Amino acid sequence: MARSIGMAADATVFRAVITITNRDGTETTKHEGPYGSIGAARARVTFWTNYLADYDDATCKPTGTSRACGYVEEGSVAWQPA
């Protein structure tokens, strides 16, 4: 999905770093962003944590064991001709 990232030079940006634990125990790390606010990046971490939460099939309620976790990183933009 295309995003408008026409931010000013030296702007502060944020990205979500999500670690997914697969059913076989292996881990995969993914990065999403850049986002213009810390809240948007935090929302992506929350989304993946909730989306990949383990559910009890009988009750359709979360078991409390998450298969994803993450954090937010802060960076800056430096534009240059490609």
Side-chain angles (χ1 to χ4, degrees):
M1 172 169 89
R3 253 184 268 210
S4 175
I5 58 169
M7 299 173 194
D10 300 323
T12 299
V13 293
F14 303 90
R15 73 177 182 177
V17 181
I18 296 112
T19 302
I20 298 169
T21 303
N22 301 307
R23 292 188 187 271
D24 63 2
T26 60
E27 291 185 350
T28 305
T29 301
K30 304 214 180 259
H31 301 86
E32 291 189 2
Y35 297 102
S37 71
I38 194 169
R42 284 181 179 156
R44 296 306 297 167
V45 172
T46 301
F47 167 79
W48 283 110
T49 301
N50 291 338
Y51 184 74
L52 295 177
D54 284 329
Y55 284 86
D56 182 294
D57 290 334
T59 64
C60 294
K61 296 193 184 231
T63 61
T65 306
S66 177
R67 293 181 293 153
C69 61
Y71 57 92
V72 174
E73 291 182 336
E74 180 179 325
S76 62
V77 177
W79 298 105
Q80 63 185 17

